[in-house]
Amino acid sequence: MNQKQPKIIISGGGTGGHIFPAIAIADALKRRYPHAEILFIGAKNRMEMDRVPKAGYPIEGLWISGFKREFSLDNLSFPFKLISSMVKAKRIIKRFKPDVVIGVGGFASGPTMKTAASLRIPIVIQEQNSYPGITNKIVANKATKICVAYDNMDKWFPADRIVLTGNPLRNNIKPLDDKKDESLRFFNLDPEKKTILLVGGSQGALGINKGISAQIETFKDNDYQMIWQTGKFYYEQAVEEVKRHGLGDRIKCTVFIERMDLAYAAADVVISRAGAMSISELSLLHKAVVFVPLPTAAEDHQTKNAMRLVEADAALMVKNDETQKELLPVVFALMENEDKMKEMRNKIEYFAKPDAAEDIVDQIEIILNNN
């Protein structure tokens, strides 16, 4: 193998939580090995087929989807999709001849990783969550290295292959001390008021949105302001509620936040789902955060993610079905307790791994040097 020009396959996707770390790993590989050949393998009709090429990398798609746990006619096609994907993955791998295959989780990762292992190609797992996905659990015994973001993952993975690296993050998520003034101007916020950032993902978060709607009038009892990322389905209702209560100068509604760096810079407290990448970003930025885990996430992994921080006094949590009564009271009480906010900001820093992408590439380099 020509070490200066390694050939790497990165497989997985389905959600931003898988795609963003995959691209971050690819970018770090390119910094280390400028002439490396990198190929992504994703699932057809999933967001990676759009996002990966926009990041500058080639991708091939497999005909694969998840197996639904409830009864569904879609499950009838699952065996055929799996066989098709295994065949195509084998064809791609034999043609590309990778030195290492990296799996980040998601539908396409399973067939790719199992095929690579059967061909005796070293595989590396990158597991974002505190409770691993089913694909990564299945292929763990074949992995050369397993890069994780949380302690105590030896419950699911072979302990001698685990490396605590953290989650690789988007390049524009970095310390924001010098962006506070810019962020306040960007969102037309009052520099004299404390700011809440509510971020529910690209589609919004219905449980969180309903929690705000249920008690929006209580904003009249304080002097706080908020950036409310509603998602496209709730935007019009949110705008109407803000207008009806005369809060347009203090609550800024937006469907989607393009400049997350500025949104984070403006925020004194963040309300967020508890996806792995959100937690990693908030930890790196030392934010006081109230998590509202998505209850339908696989194996309820978002609650498990959030509880790791709650137990360390690094975050607060409100259950999704309690938002309409509890969310704003918890947030407002936190905003009034500067000592508690400072404690949370200090303790969440423990979970930050700013060099995660480079640390993962270090593990890949070890494998390349041993091949």
Side-chain angles (χ1 to χ4, degrees), residues 125-158:
I125 290 172
Q126 198 272 317
E127 174 55 61
Q128 300 94 31
N129 291 292
S130 64
Y131 189 93
I134 188 167
T135 296
N136 284 346
K137 284 194 283 188
I138 289 171
V139 300
N141 286 328
K142 303 289 186 182
T144 304
K145 294 287 184 179
I146 303 170
C147 299
V148 301
Y150 292 90
D151 296 317
N152 304 317
M153 296 299 284
D154 53 356
K155 299 177 203 172
W156 299 283
F157 297 141

Side-chain angles (χ1 to χ4, degrees), residues 162-227:
I162 294 174
V163 184
L164 181 62
T165 59
N167 285 320
L169 300 176
R170 293 174 283 188
N171 288 333
N172 68 337
I173 301 298
K174 53 189 68 174
L176 304 167
D177 296 341
D178 60 342
K179 292 188 176 182
K180 181 78 171 181
D181 291 342
E182 181 186 357
S183 68
L184 294 172
R185 290 193 301 271
F186 184 86
F187 290 102
N188 193 26
L189 296 169
D190 186 338
E192 301 299 318
K193 292 179 169 60
K194 287 184 179 178
T195 303
I196 302 163
L197 168 63
L198 189 166
V199 54
S202 58
Q203 300 301 313
L206 186 60
I208 300 177
N209 287 339
K210 286 185 173 180
I212 299 300
S213 293
Q215 297 195 318
I216 193 170
E217 62 198 36
T218 60
F219 269 91
K220 296 176 181 178
D221 301 329
N222 57 55
D223 203 30
Y224 303 136
Q225 58 193 353
M226 182 169 72
I227 303 168

Side-chain angles (χ1 to χ4, degrees), residues 334-349:
L334 177 60
M335 299 280 278
E336 292 162 12
N337 190 338
E338 193 60 49
D339 289 340
K340 179 65 174 175
M341 290 170 64
K342 184 177 180 181
E343 177 192 24
M344 289 167 60
R345 286 194 291 264
N346 288 337
K347 290 188 173 180
I348 202 171
E349 184 178 359

Side-chain angles (χ1 to χ4, degrees), residues 10-56:
I10 303 177
S11 183
T15 67
H18 294 310
I19 296 166
F20 291 133
I23 292 171
I25 293 169
D27 290 344
L29 279 164
K30 277 292 191 181
R31 288 192 293 273
R32 187 85 53 97
Y33 300 99
H35 300 292
E37 292 183 55
I38 299 173
L39 174 66
F40 280 73
I41 299 179
K44 287 182 178 179
N45 302 318
R46 302 291 292 187
M47 64 187 293
E48 59 264 27
M49 302 305 294
D50 174 62
R51 295 294 179 88
V52 169
K54 285 182 177 177

